[in-house]
Amino acid sequence: MTKLKTLTTAIAFATFGMTATAAMAQQAPAQAQPFEQGQQSGQITDGELKKFIKANEEVAQVRDEFSQKLNQENDQQKAQELQMQAQEEMQKAVEDNDLDASTYNTIAARLQTDPELQDRLSALQ
């Protein structure tokens, strides 16, 4: 049962970006697309990185809080409700830091493979 909860937690948090991005795309497709294309071509500003740092700290706090709650929950329905609540709170944390989910996810993905971006982020922390 613990492995199922852990897997479910991981899936819930991994899909945060997909859910939030889909919601954002439905709300403002014309605005999000050009910005996202600029992000992919390497135009991430220091200001965006600073916002990402703050948002990422808050997302990590939500993830930690809800991971603990999910590990203690035995009811599958309640676990799913907690996952939805966690996704909403993570999205709110990103938006409260003046980022959209697409930008947040783009930066997070680029940080996995871009040493120059990693160095810039480290310098800002």
Side-chain angles (χ1 to χ4, degrees):
M1 187 70 175
T2 303
K3 288 183 182 182
L4 175 63
K5 287 184 202 173
T6 303
L7 177 60
T8 304
T9 302
I11 291 169
F13 295 134
T15 59
F16 159 68
M18 291 182 269
T19 303
T21 302
M24 295 299 290
Q26 289 174 356
Q27 291 174 0
Q31 294 173 355
Q33 194 172 25
F35 188 71
E36 185 176 343
Q37 288 172 350
Q39 295 297 319
Q40 291 175 352
S41 67
Q43 300 173 357
I44 297 173
T45 67
D46 285 351
E48 291 166 333
L49 284 176
K50 288 177 184 177
K51 291 175 185 178
F52 175 84
I53 291 167
K54 183 79 170 127
N56 196 49
E57 289 171 357
E58 292 177 23
V59 166
Q61 288 175 347
V62 171
R63 182 181 56 241
D64 292 346
E65 174 188 342
F66 279 89
S67 290
Q68 290 176 358
K69 288 179 182 180
L70 282 167
N71 284 332
Q72 296 172 356
E73 186 57 61
N74 292 324
D75 182 290
Q76 188 65 28
Q77 179 64 32
K78 289 182 182 177
Q80 288 176 345
E81 291 171 8
L82 284 171
Q83 291 169 351
M84 294 297 291
Q85 185 180 358
Q87 288 176 348
E88 289 171 7
E89 288 191 27
M90 286 187 283
Q91 183 169 349
K92 184 179 180 326
V94 170
E95 292 170 354
D96 285 351
N97 285 285
D98 296 324
L99 287 175
D100 58 52
S102 177
T103 302
Y104 177 88
N105 289 333
T106 298
I107 294 171
R110 289 265 315 270
L111 283 168
Q112 299 298 313
T113 60
D114 187 339
E116 186 269 332
L117 189 60
Q118 294 168 5
D119 290 343
R120 286 178 50 209
L121 184 85
S122 293
L124 293 171
Q125 290 181 324

mmCIF file of all heavy atoms in Angstrom, residues 37-56:
data_model
loop_
_atom_site.group_PDB
_atom_site.id
_atom_site.type_symbol
_atom_site.label_atom_id
_atom_site.label_comp_id
_atom_site.label_asym_id
_atom_site.label_seq_id
_atom_site.Cartn_x
_atom_site.Cartn_y
_atom_site.Cartn_z
ATOM 1 N N GLN A 37 7.541 29.855 -26.639
ATOM 2 C CA GLN A 37 8.523 29.666 -27.706
ATOM 3 C C GLN A 37 9.794 30.448 -27.407
ATOM 4 O O GLN A 37 10.892 29.978 -27.634
ATOM 5 C CB GLN A 37 7.930 30.107 -29.053
ATOM 6 C CG GLN A 37 6.877 29.153 -29.568
ATOM 7 C CD GLN A 37 6.149 29.689 -30.787
ATOM 8 O OE1 GLN A 37 6.279 30.845 -31.160
ATOM 9 N NE2 GLN A 37 5.363 28.825 -31.402
ATOM 10 N N GLY A 38 9.646 31.651 -26.862
ATOM 11 C CA GLY A 38 10.808 32.433 -26.474
ATOM 12 C C GLY A 38 11.598 31.740 -25.384
ATOM 13 O O GLY A 38 12.820 31.742 -25.384
ATOM 14 N N GLN A 39 10.908 31.115 -24.434
ATOM 15 C CA GLN A 39 11.571 30.393 -23.362
ATOM 16 C C GLN A 39 12.389 29.234 -23.921
ATOM 17 O O GLN A 39 13.506 28.996 -23.503
ATOM 18 C CB GLN A 39 10.545 29.852 -22.364
ATOM 19 C CG GLN A 39 9.788 30.908 -21.614
ATOM 20 C CD GLN A 39 10.674 31.754 -20.756
ATOM 21 O OE1 GLN A 39 11.585 31.263 -20.110
ATOM 22 N NE2 GLN A 39 10.427 33.033 -20.746
ATOM 23 N N GLN A 40 11.834 28.520 -24.859
ATOM 24 C CA GLN A 40 12.516 27.354 -25.400
ATOM 25 C C GLN A 40 13.746 27.746 -26.208
ATOM 26 O O GLN A 40 14.684 26.987 -26.321
ATOM 27 C CB GLN A 40 11.548 26.531 -26.253
ATOM 28 C CG GLN A 40 10.487 25.862 -25.404
ATOM 29 C CD GLN A 40 9.446 25.145 -26.225
ATOM 30 O OE1 GLN A 40 9.411 25.243 -27.440
ATOM 31 N NE2 GLN A 40 8.583 24.413 -25.550
ATOM 32 N N SER A 41 13.752 28.940 -26.764
ATOM 33 C CA SER A 41 14.893 29.350 -27.569
ATOM 34 C C SER A 41 16.015 29.926 -26.714
ATOM 35 O O SER A 41 17.010 30.391 -27.249
ATOM 36 C CB SER A 41 14.458 30.362 -28.637
ATOM 37 O OG SER A 41 14.044 31.572 -28.014
ATOM 38 N N GLY A 42 15.867 29.935 -25.390
ATOM 39 C CA GLY A 42 16.956 30.339 -24.518
ATOM 40 C C GLY A 42 16.806 31.701 -23.901
ATOM 41 O O GLY A 42 17.744 32.221 -23.326
ATOM 42 N N GLN A 43 15.652 32.317 -24.005
ATOM 43 C CA GLN A 43 15.471 33.668 -23.499
ATOM 44 C C GLN A 43 14.821 33.672 -22.118
ATOM 45 O O GLN A 43 13.731 34.182 -21.937
ATOM 46 C CB GLN A 43 14.647 34.482 -24.487
ATOM 47 C CG GLN A 43 15.294 34.598 -25.842
ATOM 48 C CD GLN A 43 14.378 35.267 -26.852
ATOM 49 O OE1 GLN A 43 13.246 35.587 -26.555
ATOM 50 N NE2 GLN A 43 14.876 35.463 -28.038
ATOM 51 N N ILE A 44 15.494 33.106 -21.151
ATOM 52 C CA ILE A 44 15.008 33.128 -19.779
ATOM 53 C C ILE A 44 15.782 34.223 -19.054
ATOM 54 O O ILE A 44 17.005 34.183 -18.970
ATOM 55 C CB ILE A 44 15.204 31.763 -19.088
ATOM 56 C CG1 ILE A 44 14.378 30.695 -19.810
ATOM 57 C CG2 ILE A 44 14.827 31.840 -17.613
ATOM 58 C CD1 ILE A 44 14.614 29.283 -19.328
ATOM 59 N N THR A 45 15.051 35.194 -18.552
ATOM 60 C CA THR A 45 15.694 36.338 -17.913
ATOM 61 C C THR A 45 16.049 36.028 -16.464
ATOM 62 O O THR A 45 15.518 35.092 -15.866
ATOM 63 C CB THR A 45 14.760 37.565 -17.943
ATOM 64 O OG1 THR A 45 13.627 37.307 -17.102
ATOM 65 C CG2 THR A 45 14.300 37.897 -19.363
ATOM 66 N N ASP A 46 16.922 36.858 -15.910
ATOM 67 C CA ASP A 46 17.258 36.715 -14.492
ATOM 68 C C ASP A 46 16.032 36.958 -13.622
ATOM 69 O O ASP A 46 15.865 36.316 -12.584
ATOM 70 C CB ASP A 46 18.377 37.681 -14.104
ATOM 71 C CG ASP A 46 19.751 37.225 -14.605
ATOM 72 O OD1 ASP A 46 19.865 36.084 -15.100
ATOM 73 O OD2 ASP A 46 20.706 38.020 -14.490
ATOM 74 N N GLY A 47 15.177 37.864 -14.042
ATOM 75 C CA GLY A 47 13.954 38.124 -13.299
ATOM 76 C C GLY A 47 13.063 36.888 -13.233
ATOM 77 O O GLY A 47 12.490 36.581 -12.184
ATOM 78 N N GLU A 48 12.952 36.188 -14.348
ATOM 79 C CA GLU A 48 12.165 34.952 -14.371
ATOM 80 C C GLU A 48 12.805 33.880 -13.499
ATOM 81 O O GLU A 48 12.111 33.128 -12.810
ATOM 82 C CB GLU A 48 12.004 34.437 -15.805
ATOM 83 C CG GLU A 48 11.113 35.327 -16.644
ATOM 84 C CD GLU A 48 11.210 35.050 -18.126
ATOM 85 O OE1 GLU A 48 12.256 34.562 -18.602
ATOM 86 O OE2 GLU A 48 10.219 35.338 -18.813
ATOM 87 N N LEU A 49 14.122 33.819 -13.506
ATOM 88 C CA LEU A 49 14.817 32.846 -12.661
ATOM 89 C C LEU A 49 14.600 33.150 -11.180
ATOM 90 O O LEU A 49 14.407 32.239 -10.376
ATOM 91 C CB LEU A 49 16.315 32.816 -12.974
ATOM 92 C CG LEU A 49 16.725 32.091 -14.248
ATOM 93 C CD1 LEU A 49 18.226 32.224 -14.490
ATOM 94 C CD2 LEU A 49 16.328 30.634 -14.188
ATOM 95 N N LYS A 50 14.600 34.427 -10.818
ATOM 96 C CA LYS A 50 14.340 34.804 -9.426
ATOM 97 C C LYS A 50 12.925 34.394 -9.026
ATOM 98 O O LYS A 50 12.704 33.872 -7.922
ATOM 99 C CB LYS A 50 14.541 36.306 -9.231
ATOM 100 C CG LYS A 50 15.994 36.735 -9.267
ATOM 101 C CD LYS A 50 16.128 38.237 -9.133
ATOM 102 C CE LYS A 50 17.578 38.664 -9.261
ATOM 103 N NZ LYS A 50 17.730 40.125 -9.199
ATOM 104 N N LYS A 51 11.970 34.622 -9.908
ATOM 105 C CA LYS A 51 10.586 34.210 -9.640
ATOM 106 C C LYS A 51 10.503 32.693 -9.530
ATOM 107 O O LYS A 51 9.795 32.156 -8.678
ATOM 108 C CB LYS A 51 9.655 34.703 -10.751
ATOM 109 C CG LYS A 51 9.480 36.200 -10.772
ATOM 110 C CD LYS A 51 8.638 36.616 -11.963
ATOM 111 C CE LYS A 51 8.552 38.125 -12.078
ATOM 112 N NZ LYS A 51 7.767 38.538 -13.256
ATOM 113 N N PHE A 52 11.249 31.994 -10.402
ATOM 114 C CA PHE A 52 11.254 30.535 -10.376
ATOM 115 C C PHE A 52 11.802 30.027 -9.046
ATOM 116 O O PHE A 52 11.255 29.088 -8.465
ATOM 117 C CB PHE A 52 12.092 29.976 -11.530
ATOM 118 C CG PHE A 52 12.237 28.485 -11.477
ATOM 119 C CD1 PHE A 52 11.258 27.657 -12.004
ATOM 120 C CD2 PHE A 52 13.344 27.901 -10.877
ATOM 121 C CE1 PHE A 52 11.374 26.280 -11.937
ATOM 122 C CE2 PHE A 52 13.471 26.523 -10.803
ATOM 123 C CZ PHE A 52 12.484 25.711 -11.338
ATOM 124 N N ILE A 53 12.880 30.635 -8.556
ATOM 125 C CA ILE A 53 13.481 30.206 -7.289
ATOM 126 C C ILE A 53 12.448 30.277 -6.173
ATOM 127 O O ILE A 53 12.259 29.321 -5.415
ATOM 128 C CB ILE A 53 14.724 31.069 -6.950
ATOM 129 C CG1 ILE A 53 15.860 30.773 -7.930
ATOM 130 C CG2 ILE A 53 15.168 30.829 -5.511
ATOM 131 C CD1 ILE A 53 16.999 31.789 -7.881
ATOM 132 N N LYS A 54 11.774 31.400 -6.065
ATOM 133 C CA LYS A 54 10.771 31.585 -5.016
ATOM 134 C C LYS A 54 9.607 30.617 -5.203
ATOM 135 O O LYS A 54 9.171 29.961 -4.252
ATOM 136 C CB LYS A 54 10.271 33.038 -5.045
ATOM 137 C CG LYS A 54 9.284 33.363 -3.972
ATOM 138 C CD LYS A 54 9.958 33.596 -2.646
ATOM 139 C CE LYS A 54 8.940 34.158 -1.665
ATOM 140 N NZ LYS A 54 8.853 33.432 -0.446
ATOM 141 N N ALA A 55 9.100 30.509 -6.418
ATOM 142 C CA ALA A 55 7.981 29.603 -6.699
ATOM 143 C C ALA A 55 8.371 28.161 -6.401
ATOM 144 O O ALA A 55 7.589 27.396 -5.818
ATOM 145 C CB ALA A 55 7.527 29.742 -8.153
ATOM 146 N N ASN A 56 9.580 27.784 -6.780
ATOM 147 C CA ASN A 56 10.033 26.408 -6.580
ATOM 148 C C ASN A 56 10.137 26.070 -5.092
ATOM 149 O O ASN A 56 9.818 24.956 -4.682
ATOM 150 C CB ASN A 56 11.367 26.184 -7.283
ATOM 151 C CG ASN A 56 11.694 24.728 -7.436
ATOM 152 O OD1 ASN A 56 10.877 23.934 -7.886
ATOM 153 N ND2 ASN A 56 12.910 24.353 -7.051
#
